[in-house]
Amino acid sequence: MKISPLQKARYEYTPKLPGMLRNGIADICVKEGAATQSVADQEKIAELFPNTYGKPEITFEKGKNTSADKKQIVGVILSGGQAPGGHNVVSGLYDALKATNKDNVLLGFKGGPSGLLEDDYIEMTDEYIDQFRNTGGFDIIGSGRTKLETPEQFAVAAEVCKKHGITAIVIIGGDDSNTNACTLAEYMAANKTGVQVIGCPKTIDGDLKNEDIECSFGFDTATKTYSELIGNIERDANSAKKYWHFIKVMGRSASHVALECALETQPNICLIGEEVADKKMSLSEIADYIADSVEKRAANGDNFGVAIIPEGIVEFVPEFSVLISEINELLAGSKTEEFNALPSWEEKYEFIKAGLTKESMAVFEILPQGIQQQLFLERDPHGNVQVSLIESEKLFSALVADKLAERKAAGTYKGKFGVQHHFFGYEGRCAFPSNFDADYCYSLGYNAFMLIQYGFNGYLSKVSNLSKPAEEWVAGGMPITKMMNMERRNGKDKPVIKKALTELDGAPFKYFAAHRDEWAVKTSFLFPGAIQYYGPSSVCDITTKTLALEKGEEI
Amino acid sequence: MKISPLQKARYEYTPKLPGMLRNGIADICVKEGAATQSVADQEKIAELFPNTYGKPEITFEKGKNTSADKKQIVGVILSGGQAPGGHNVVSGLYDALKATNKDNVLLGFKGGPSGLLEDDYIEMTDEYIDQFRNTGGFDIIGSGRTKLETPEQFAVAAEVCKKHGITAIVIIGGDDSNTNACTLAEYMAANKTGVQVIGCPKTIDGDLKNEDIECSFGFDTATKTYSELIGNIERDANSAKKYWHFIKVMGRSASHVALECALETQPNICLIGEEVADKKMSLSEIADYIADSVEKRAANGDNFGVAIIPEGIVEFVPEFSVLISEINELLAGSKTEEFNALPSWEEKYEFIKAGLTKESMAVFEILPQGIQQQLFLERDPHGNVQVSLIESEKLFSALVADKLAERKAAGTYKGKFGVQHHFFGYEGRCAFPSNFDADYCYSLGYNAFMLIQYGFNGYLSKVSNLSKPAEEWVAGGMPITKMMNMERRNGKDKPVIKKALTELDGAPFKYFAAHRDEWAVKTSFLFPGAIQYYGPSSVCDITTKTLALEKGEEI
């Protein structure tokens, strides 16, 4: 099989482990911390997780390995969307497992959690694993979106584990998958299956983090890839001086990706969903905010710029959410047929006008026709509007164009407004992991095995102190129950890991907020360039500005 | 001013010169080759360029510098679209100029050729140049698309040169800009202004190349940037196994960019405009060709893939070009108003049906409605269809979906066809130049000054043997007239540099053609990863596969 020169070179890379894991398996001992409790709803969580609640945080240290001499057969699962570094979690896990006992076995369940339910797996070998070291993608075993959450599924999982003599399952996933890992861990303990469950924090969205987990893996590489592209476009904009580029970046439920890209590239505009929701901003207010920057820059002769739009932005706009609910209501049941039967868009428009409240109709009216039609014509199998299909970068550039037309008529704006649109998402999920992600992921996997070997169950593999060189990283584990609270999901209270939204009083947002007025007017673009895997450490070993700021460091 | 860690590191990079230019200015002598003649239409070109035709090719060698001791005041211009490495042409030019005589002056005319006409310039200093070394973009002096081609413009240019005592002008541009450079050179000689004109071959499109110019600068970096993204998307497709990605890449008049990206990433499908034209393929045939790959892969359980679509593809489809001409004809003059006055799309459609030939109407009918409407509703100031606005990636995915629906009905296809669309263009034009482009461009600029110093006029700066290490590169110059032929442009015969289309009997296309049937069915993706500026030479110093194949090398 042909491989690229970079892939060949990356096979040679040796991921850096935390200092305390570098002394060899025989020299890793456990230090137990205090008992933990959940971040909220302690009583309820304790009641739901009698076997896995309240366990201590643990860290690994240099010292005599006191774990039991037991043959381990471990299953590993990749769950959900791709994130750079997944292959390194698997290879770190494999290396620790084989270094501990060469008879240990690692089974990779294929295509996500469904692989475990369907008993579809491959046994990992040196030869197989070596093809995937330090590469992007989840193609080593594939991934999938099946949710492992019902007792029936757990029973099947336990059965499959029993069949293979599996002693532990490692689930690599986001907040939902780790919530499910915790529930599975509780099930395995309650039913005395002897199977341990360990989670690993994955997601490019960056919304799985908290006081224990400094960041999820993949966020570093994905944001570096998007920032490369945004920086290149900024430089093009500043050279051609001809276009405003509206760039949408992945991230539906939180705006961490957009914020990190903004810190890396200093664009003129970056919208943050959490702020839009907090300030209850309307579409019109957002468009005015952007148009202000366009107008001020035009006054300086700069008819170009860059605006970053998080993928999920419209879902944070309160009036838009109301509009969507009204549309879903308006088309419920047989009314869809009635609506579809109307022969022309004009007649459909009248139907809509008659059915929406005055407030929502006002919002609907300012939308470009293409988006108006999309809201009504492209609906999911349940008849609901597919908000994720809305091209928010085009929506906002159209709204801004309307604002500028008004301002031109009023004589306050005299510039030109040419627009290009971009969406960056798939480009970053499977990049070769940065050195940071390669090291972090390998360490998470290695560490996950140490948690297994020491008998822990319902823990998340935890590596921290990440803004420092890997030598100083701290390896250990955290009971997943510690990160849980009760939330309303589909009409029921459920124990879940709290999703981390962008904090408006957090250091990353505050840094952005302190500089954005200047960036909006002055060209302050930064050009990060392509991810480097070699070269000066300042170029190839630094992680995100988000993490640096959260750690109180200068950027 | 804040700069990124990579930008800081790249300032320290020392571009590699061809071996023969490494001995210092005092040790560069000229070796004249035989007299040249134009590639075609020799008599006509000789007649049009009496002062610059038939000059010898020259190469630089190690030997005593015999150039006249004359103070040089040089003007430099960036013309047309951005290409990575432009800043290095300027810095190479500056370094050779200052190393020859510290009193020499380099003036950068701002915003493209119009800067020369408007006498808008900055004088280059060490401090200013140092901010731009080895960086992307054209922001050092900006660029523009004004064409320098009329005698009136030439007279103004000569006047500005006289005012500043300018001894030479360096024009960095594509085929058109270098054609104009040649005409300007002839003008300057005919009018005994004493001003020399030197060109440099720039364009990411790769369509300025011939037996003398092995490649234009920027092509290497731009295709590496696009290939990084395509490879990442391939890996995502192969991990998620969920989508076909239709990826449009820049390149309107030739498909070199698409072909190089295909050689780098081995996608399932890559369309080549020149082949489509040569085989007179219809839209339906192209759609069937892609649908065949989708169907065969689906039969293997692979409902995912990657197709590369060159930006200008529809202009190569004969029946589509006919349709466009008919539409332009149909809406000529007052008929546009008549058409616009029709109240509904249905009535407009009848108007179209009545006006097109049966053959063109058949083509029109298979287009998705969005594109049908775009053809009629979005026209340029002359009333013509804006072919460049056509989203060809969406056009072909829609046509393929139609084909697959037919095949599903016929029972031959049982797969799923989910699509994602991408367009990569602006992302690559201003990337930090690869080591190859940084070296090549610096050498082109350095070399351009040596041509000036030795008194040449109407020459293109030429650096060749580029698939070998820089040490072995050959530096010299080529009379631009040698690359010219007569072509019909806007109803007149004009002397122009022949645009290089993808040659269907050239080694790069032949390699692609020999492998594409396998790639269409089997997943043979290659993942080049991000451009590396450091690390193993096999990773950071290799240029394009197109060039390697053209040079008869293995890839």
Side-chain angles (χ1 to χ4, degrees):
Chain A
M1 203 186 65
K2 230 176 146 152
I3 59 169
S4 75
L6 182 64
Q7 182 155 339
K8 198 168 161 206
R10 291 306 284 168
Y11 285 161
E12 306 300 319
Y13 180 74
T14 307
K16 300 186 275 292
L17 282 170
M20 60 191 65
L21 297 180
R22 291 183 190 177
N23 305 300
I25 298 288
D27 275 319
I28 300 178
C29 74
V30 169
K31 185 186 161 200
E32 287 199 3
T36 58
Q37 48 178 345
S38 62
V39 287
D41 310 307
Q42 290 82 6
E43 260 182 57
K44 188 73 194 161
I45 307 282
E47 186 192 321
L48 288 165
F49 296 91
N51 294 284
T52 50
Y53 188 83
K55 304 281 180 197
E57 172 171 16
I58 72 108
T59 48
F60 291 112
E61 292 193 339
K62 185 177 176 180
K64 191 173 156 42
N65 188 328
T66 58
S67 66
D69 186 13
K70 167 187 172 188
K71 181 180 168 182
Q72 302 281 3
I73 300 178
V74 177
V76 63
I77 297 169
L78 290 164
S79 179
Q82 283 78 252
H87 290 166
N88 274 30
V89 180
V90 179
S91 50
L93 175 63
Y94 179 84
D95 287 354
L97 172 143
K98 288 292 183 185
T100 300
N101 179 347
K102 67 179 172 31
D103 294 330
N104 283 347
V105 172
L106 180 62
L107 305 179
F109 287 99
K110 288 162 77 176
S114 62
L116 175 59
L117 300 177
E118 294 158 8
D119 195 15
D120 184 13
Y121 68 93
I122 45 172
E123 184 177 331
M124 297 289 167
T125 61
D126 286 354
E127 202 190 358
Y128 188 73
I129 285 264
D130 286 350
Q131 298 173 63
F132 295 93
R133 291 181 187 271
N134 309 305
T135 63
F138 275 9
D139 39 314
I140 187 168
I141 46 176
S143 182
R145 294 189 182 272
T146 301
K147 288 196 189 301
L148 210 58
E149 52 186 352
T150 69
E152 293 74 25
Q153 289 174 321
F154 294 164
V156 175
E159 210 43 56
V160 171
C161 288
K162 196 173 167 191
K163 175 178 161 193
H164 297 294
I166 286 174
T167 53
I169 296 281
V170 175
I171 295 179
I172 303 168
D175 53 340
D176 275 352
S177 302
N178 279 298
T179 290
N180 294 339
C182 191
T183 317
L184 180 63
E186 179 64 31
Y187 177 95
M188 292 295 189
N191 291 278
K192 301 195 173 31
T193 60
V195 179
Q196 300 158 239
V197 181
I198 301 293
C200 284
K202 171 228 72 168
T203 169
I204 65 157
D205 293 343
D207 55 7
L208 170 51
K209 66 177 173 184
N210 46 52
E211 58 168 27
D212 290 308
I213 302 302
E214 295 179 1
C215 71
S216 55
F217 77 78
F219 180 68
D220 182 74
T221 307
T223 55
K224 280 188 166 63
T225 303
Y226 306 145
S227 298
E228 169 200 359
L229 303 177
I230 296 167
N232 287 358
I233 288 171
E234 286 181 338
R235 192 129 208 174
D236 199 288
N238 191 36
S239 296
K241 301 189 185 297
K242 200 167 146 185
Y243 292 118
W244 269 83
H245 294 265
F246 278 58
I247 304 173
K248 184 168 71 176
V249 293
M250 254 188 189
R252 274 190 65 194
S253 43
S255 299
H256 299 293
V257 171
L259 179 56
E260 171 63 19
C261 291
L263 296 173
E264 290 285 347
T265 64
Q266 302 189 175
N268 305 105
I269 293 289
C270 176
L271 302 180
I272 301 295
E274 291 83 343
E275 184 186 29
V276 165
D278 185 67
K279 294 188 175 167
K280 300 188 173 43
M281 290 176 81
S282 66
L283 291 178
S284 176
E285 282 166 345
I286 298 170
D288 263 323
Y289 168 66
I290 302 174
D292 286 347
S293 165
V294 177
E295 182 180 325
K296 283 180 195 153
R297 287 179 61 76
N300 296 335
D302 293 335
N303 287 296
F304 64 91
V306 168
I308 300 178
I309 316 282
E311 190 184 12
I313 188 74
V314 291
E315 298 173 65
F316 288 93
V317 179
E319 62 176 16
F320 197 85
S321 302
V322 173
L323 170 67
I324 298 301
S325 330
E326 286 193 25
I327 294 176
N328 285 337
E329 190 67 26
L330 184 59
L331 297 177
S334 64
K335 281 184 276 178
T336 295
E337 267 180 59
E338 188 187 328
F339 175 81
N340 290 342
L342 296 171
S344 73
W345 175 247
E346 287 70 23
E347 282 161 281
K348 288 187 163 84
Y349 198 89
E350 286 308 313
F351 176 97
I352 295 164
K353 202 168 169 178
L356 295 180
T357 60
K358 209 176 116 199
E359 292 70 27
S360 283
M361 191 60 204
V363 176
F364 187 73
E365 273 173 339
I366 66 165
L367 301 177
Q369 200 189 61
I371 290 181
Q372 287 181 338
Q373 296 185 337
Q374 189 184 36
L375 291 177
F376 277 88
L377 303 179
E378 295 170 22
R379 294 197 299 281
D380 73 12
H382 310 287
N384 291 322
V385 172
Q386 298 198 64
V387 181
S388 66
L389 292 185
I390 294 173
E391 296 182 298
S392 41
E393 71 283 24
K394 293 187 181 170
L395 168 62
F396 282 106
S397 74
L399 296 179
V400 170
D402 289 345
K403 293 287 182 188
L404 293 172
E406 288 169 18
R407 295 177 186 204
K408 196 161 248 177
T412 57
Y413 167 68
K414 294 181 176 63
K416 280 186 207 166
F417 184 63
V419 189
Q420 296 289 338
H421 300 103
H422 312 265
F423 171 39
F424 299 132
Y426 297 98
E427 293 79 356
R429 307 195 313 173
C430 288
F432 286 91
S434 62
N435 289 346
F436 172 83
D437 270 328
D439 298 346
Y440 180 40
C441 290
Y442 187 85
S443 301
L444 284 172
Y446 200 96
N447 189 55
F449 183 74
M450 296 318 301
L451 290 169
I452 293 168
Q453 184 63 17
Y454 272 103
F456 293 99
N457 180 32
Y459 273 65
L460 202 62
S461 179
K462 171 180 170 180
V463 177
S464 53
N465 207 28
L466 296 171
S467 67
K468 294 281 181 288
E471 170 68 34
E472 299 169 40
W473 289 357
V474 178
M478 176 60 53
I480 303 178
T481 49
K482 177 167 185 246
M483 300 163 199
M484 289 194 152
N485 65 174
M486 298 303 292
E487 289 181 22
R488 200 83 187 157
R489 298 272 172 101
N490 299 320
K492 277 184 204 162
D493 284 329
K494 273 194 69 175
V496 296
I497 297 177
K498 205 176 163 183
K499 202 179 267 294
L501 299 183
T502 302
E503 291 176 8
L504 302 184
D505 57 356
F509 181 81
K510 277 162 81 175
Y511 182 94
F512 167 68
H515 291 83
R516 63 177 158 184
D517 290 345
E518 188 186 341
W519 301 351
V521 182
K522 235 182 93 181
T523 301
S524 314
F525 301 155
L526 274 182
F527 316 118
I531 300 185
Q532 296 302 297
Y533 304 95
Y534 307 96
S537 184
S538 62
V539 169
C540 70
D541 286 327
I542 304 293
T543 183
T544 60
K545 296 201 173 188
T546 299
L547 187 61
L549 287 166
E550 283 171 346
K551 288 290 194 172
E553 293 167 12
E554 298 268 324
I555 64 165
Chain B
M1 203 186 66
K2 230 175 148 156
I3 59 170
S4 76
L6 183 63
Q7 181 154 339
K8 197 167 163 210
R10 291 307 283 167
Y11 285 161
E12 305 299 319
Y13 181 73
T14 306
K16 299 186 275 292
L17 281 170
M20 59 190 67
L21 297 181
R22 292 184 191 177
N23 306 299
I25 298 287
D27 275 320
I28 301 177
C29 73
V30 169
K31 186 186 161 197
E32 287 199 2
T36 59
Q37 48 178 341
S38 62
V39 288
D41 310 308
Q42 290 82 6
E43 260 182 58
K44 191 70 194 162
I45 307 281
E47 189 192 317
L48 288 166
F49 296 90
N51 294 285
T52 49
Y53 188 82
K55 304 282 180 196
E57 173 170 16
I58 73 109
T59 47
F60 291 112
E61 292 194 338
K62 184 176 175 180
K64 191 174 156 40
N65 188 328
T66 59
S67 66
D69 186 12
K70 169 189 171 188
K71 180 181 169 184
Q72 303 281 3
I73 300 178
V74 176
V76 62
I77 296 169
L78 291 164
S79 179
Q82 283 79 252
H87 289 166
N88 273 29
V89 180
V90 179
S91 51
L93 176 62
Y94 178 84
D95 287 354
L97 172 143
K98 288 292 184 186
T100 301
N101 180 347
K102 67 179 175 31
D103 293 330
N104 283 346
V105 173
L106 180 62
L107 305 180
F109 287 99
K110 287 162 77 175
S114 62
L116 176 59
L117 301 177
E118 293 160 9
D119 195 15
D120 185 13
Y121 68 92
I122 44 171
E123 185 178 331
M124 298 288 168
T125 60
D126 287 356
E127 201 189 356
Y128 189 73
I129 286 264
D130 286 351
Q131 296 175 63
F132 294 94
R133 291 179 187 272
N134 309 305
T135 62
F138 275 8
D139 39 316
I140 186 169
I141 46 176
S143 182
R145 293 187 182 271
T146 301
K147 288 195 189 302
L148 210 57
E149 52 185 353
T150 68
E152 295 73 26
Q153 289 174 321
F154 293 165
V156 174
E159 210 42 55
V160 171
C161 288
K162 198 172 163 190
K163 176 180 161 191
H164 297 294
I166 286 175
T167 53
I169 296 281
V170 174
I171 295 178
I172 303 168
D175 54 340
D176 276 350
S177 302
N178 279 296
T179 291
N180 294 339
C182 191
T183 317
L184 181 63
E186 180 63 30
Y187 178 95
M188 292 296 189
N191 290 278
K192 301 196 172 30
T193 59
V195 179
Q196 301 158 237
V197 181
I198 301 294
C200 283
K202 171 228 74 170
T203 168
I204 65 157
D205 293 343
D207 55 6
L208 171 51
K209 66 177 173 184
N210 46 51
E211 58 169 26
D212 289 307
I213 301 302
E214 295 179 359
C215 72
S216 55
F217 78 77
F219 179 68
D220 181 75
T221 308
T223 55
K224 280 187 166 65
T225 303
Y226 305 145
S227 298
E228 169 199 359
L229 302 177
I230 296 167
N232 287 358
I233 287 171
E234 285 180 338
R235 193 130 208 173
D236 198 287
N238 191 38
S239 297
K241 302 188 186 296
K242 200 167 148 188
Y243 291 119
W244 269 83
H245 294 265
F246 279 59
I247 304 174
K248 184 169 71 176
V249 292
M250 253 190 189
R252 275 192 63 195
S253 42
S255 299
H256 299 293
V257 170
L259 179 55
E260 172 63 19
C261 290
L263 296 172
E264 291 285 348
T265 63
Q266 303 188 173
N268 305 105
I269 294 288
C270 176
L271 302 180
I272 302 295
E274 291 84 344
E275 184 185 30
V276 164
D278 185 67
K279 294 187 175 166
K280 298 189 174 46
M281 290 175 80
S282 66
L283 291 179
S284 176
E285 282 166 347
I286 298 170
D288 264 322
Y289 167 66
I290 302 173
D292 286 348
S293 166
V294 177
E295 182 180 325
K296 283 180 195 153
R297 288 179 60 75
N300 297 335
D302 293 335
N303 288 298
F304 64 92
V306 169
I308 299 179
I309 315 282
E311 189 185 12
I313 189 72
V314 290
E315 299 174 64
F316 288 93
V317 178
E319 62 176 17
F320 197 84
S321 301
V322 173
L323 170 66
I324 298 301
S325 330
E326 287 191 27
I327 294 176
N328 286 337
E329 190 68 27
L330 184 59
L331 296 178
S334 63
K335 282 184 277 180
T336 296
E337 268 180 58
E338 190 186 326
F339 175 82
N340 289 343
L342 296 170
S344 74
W345 174 246
E346 287 69 24
E347 281 160 282
K348 287 187 164 82
Y349 198 89
E350 286 308 311
F351 177 97
I352 294 165
K353 201 169 172 180
L356 295 180
T357 61
K358 209 177 114 196
E359 292 72 27
S360 283
M361 191 61 206
V363 177
F364 187 73
E365 273 173 338
I366 67 166
L367 301 177
Q369 200 189 61
I371 289 181
Q372 288 180 337
Q373 296 185 337
Q374 189 183 36
L375 290 178
F376 276 88
L377 303 180
E378 294 171 21
R379 295 198 299 280
D380 73 11
H382 309 287
N384 291 321
V385 171
Q386 299 197 64
V387 180
S388 65
L389 292 185
I390 294 172
E391 295 182 301
S392 41
E393 71 283 23
K394 292 187 180 168
L395 168 63
F396 283 107
S397 75
L399 296 178
V400 170
D402 289 345
K403 294 286 181 188
L404 294 172
E406 288 170 18
R407 295 178 187 204
K408 195 160 248 175
T412 57
Y413 168 69
K414 295 181 175 61
K416 279 185 209 166
F417 184 62
V419 189
Q420 295 289 337
H421 300 103
H422 312 265
F423 170 39
F424 298 133
Y426 297 97
E427 293 80 355
R429 308 196 312 174
C430 288
F432 285 91
S434 62
N435 290 345
F436 173 82
D437 271 328
D439 298 347
Y440 180 40
C441 290
Y442 187 84
S443 300
L444 284 172
Y446 199 95
N447 189 54
F449 183 75
M450 297 318 300
L451 290 169
I452 292 168
Q453 183 63 17
Y454 272 104
F456 294 99
N457 180 35
Y459 274 66
L460 202 63
S461 178
K462 172 180 169 179
V463 176
S464 54
N465 208 29
L466 295 172
S467 67
K468 295 282 183 286
E471 170 68 35
E472 299 170 40
W473 288 358
V474 178
M478 176 59 56
I480 303 178
T481 50
K482 178 169 183 242
M483 300 162 197
M484 288 195 152
N485 66 174
M486 299 301 292
E487 288 181 22
R488 201 82 186 157
R489 297 274 172 99
N490 299 319
K492 278 184 202 160
D493 284 329
K494 274 194 69 175
V496 296
I497 297 176
K498 208 177 158 177
K499 203 179 266 296
L501 299 183
T502 302
E503 291 176 8
L504 302 184
D505 57 357
F509 181 80
K510 278 162 82 176
Y511 181 95
F512 168 68
H515 292 82
R516 63 177 159 184
D517 290 347
E518 188 184 342
W519 300 351
V521 182
K522 233 182 94 181
T523 300
S524 313
F525 301 154
L526 273 182
F527 316 117
I531 299 185
Q532 295 302 297
Y533 303 95
Y534 308 96
S537 185
S538 63
V539 168
C540 70
D541 285 327
I542 304 293
T543 181
T544 61
K545 297 202 173 186
T546 298
L547 187 62
L549 288 166
E550 282 171 346
K551 288 289 194 171
E553 294 167 12
E554 299 267 326
I555 65 165

